[in-house]
C-alpha cells in the first residue's frame, strides 16, 4: 500500500470514528442510551476506549450481571448458533432419509415380481412396502378423481 493510500485510509478512519463518537454522544444526551466502545486499530498503540475506561468497565459489568432472561432475546453465543444449526440440519437429513427410503421402496415395488415375496422377508420391509403401496394408491386415486372431476365439469357445459 502506498503512503498516499495509507494516509487517505487513516483520514477516512478518523472521520468515521469521530462520526461514531458524535452519534454516541447525541444518543446518550437525547435518549439516555449507554454506549461504550473499544477500538483496536493500527493507528493507535493502545486500544481507544469510548467514552472512557471507567465508564466502559461499569457498563460491561452491568451487562455481565444481567440475568439470562433479561438479556436480549437475539443475543446468543456461537455455540448456541452452532447447536441450532446442527439440530436443523439433522431434521433436514432425517426428512431426506425418509423421502429416499420411500422412493427406494416405490422403485422396489415397481420392479418386484410375484416370486420376490417370500416368507423370509424382513417384517419391517414388508410393512414399509405396504405403506408405500398404500400411499401410491392414494396418490393414484387422487389423480383419477381430479381427472374425473375435470372431465365431468367439461361434460356439463352446454
Amino acid at each position: 500500500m502506498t503512503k498516499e493510500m495509507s494516509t487517505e485510509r487513516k483520514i477516512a478512519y478518523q472521520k468515521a470514528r469521530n462520526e461514531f463518537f458524535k452519534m454516541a454522544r447525541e444518543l446518550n444526551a437525547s435518549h439516555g442510551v449507554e454506549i461504550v466502545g473499544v477500538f483496536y486499530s493500527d493507528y493507535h498503540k493502545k486500544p481507544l476506549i469510548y467514552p472512557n475506561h471507567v465508564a466502559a468497565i461499569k457498563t460491561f459489568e452491568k451487562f455481565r450481571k444481567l440475568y439470562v432472561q433479561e438479556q436480549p432475546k437475539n443475543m446468543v453465543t456461537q455455540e448456541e448458533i452452532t447447536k441450532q444449526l446442527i439440530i436443523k440440519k439433522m431434521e433436514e437429513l432425517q426428512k431426506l432419509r425418509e423421502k429416499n427410503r420411500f422412493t427406494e421402496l416405490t422403485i422396489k415395488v415397481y420392479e418386484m415380481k410375484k416370486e420376490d415375496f417370500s416368507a423370509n422377508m424382513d417384517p419391517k420391509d414388508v410393512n414399509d412396502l405396504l405403506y408405500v403401496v398404500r400411499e401410491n394408491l392414494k396418490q393414484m386415486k387422487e389423480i383419477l378423481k381430479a381427472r374425473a372431476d375435470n372431465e365431468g365439469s367439461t361434460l356439463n357445459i352446454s
Side-chain angles (χ1 to χ4, degrees):
M1 183 182 301
T2 66
K3 185 170 180 123
E4 188 176 300
M5 286 179 75
S6 177
T7 304
E8 288 175 14
R9 285 177 55 105
K10 184 175 183 178
I11 291 168
Y13 162 77
Q14 288 172 338
K15 284 182 182 178
R17 184 194 66 207
N18 290 340
E19 193 64 30
F20 170 81
F21 290 159
K22 181 181 172 187
M23 283 195 280
R25 281 191 298 274
E26 287 174 7
L27 279 169
N28 180 271
S30 61
H31 301 288
V33 175
E34 205 171 314
I35 298 175
V36 297
V38 179
F39 296 84
Y40 288 95
S41 167
D42 293 337
Y43 306 121
H44 306 286
K45 291 181 181 171
K46 295 189 289 183
L48 182 64
I49 300 171
Y50 176 83
N52 60 53
H53 186 76
V54 173
I57 295 294
K58 284 181 182 176
T59 301
F60 287 127
E61 284 297 320
K62 276 193 230 175
F63 183 74
R64 263 193 32 217
K65 290 178 183 175
L66 282 176
Y67 292 107
V68 175
Q69 306 92 307
E70 293 175 358
Q71 289 179 352
K73 290 179 182 160
N74 61 350
M75 189 186 124
V76 292
T77 64
Q78 185 65 38
E79 182 181 1
E80 290 168 333
I81 292 170
T82 304
K83 283 180 182 178
Q84 290 171 359
L85 186 61
I86 289 171
I87 289 169
K88 182 179 176 185
K89 293 300 177 186
M90 292 298 285
E91 289 170 354
E92 289 175 11
L93 178 62
Q94 184 59 34
K95 286 178 183 175
L96 282 173
R97 284 181 174 156
E98 290 170 4
K99 183 179 177 185
N100 285 344
R101 175 81 173 148
F102 185 85
T103 304
E104 288 172 1
L105 290 170
T106 300
I107 292 168
K108 193 173 184 178
V109 166
Y110 285 114
E111 293 175 347
M112 285 186 119
K113 298 178 180 89
K114 186 179 178 180
E115 50 275 358
D116 290 336
F117 290 96
S118 71
N120 297 334
M121 283 184 73
D122 185 355
K124 183 179 182 246
D125 286 341
V126 173
N127 284 335
D128 288 348
L129 285 171
L130 285 172
Y131 172 76
V132 168
V133 169
R134 286 185 187 121
E135 288 299 309
N136 282 315
L137 283 172
K138 278 184 200 174
Q139 290 175 4
M140 290 167 65
K141 284 179 184 178
E142 289 171 9
I143 291 169
L144 291 173
K145 184 175 188 261
R147 283 188 184 167
D149 290 345
N150 286 338
E151 288 175 4
S153 64
T154 56
L155 292 176
N156 293 334
I157 298 176
S158 47

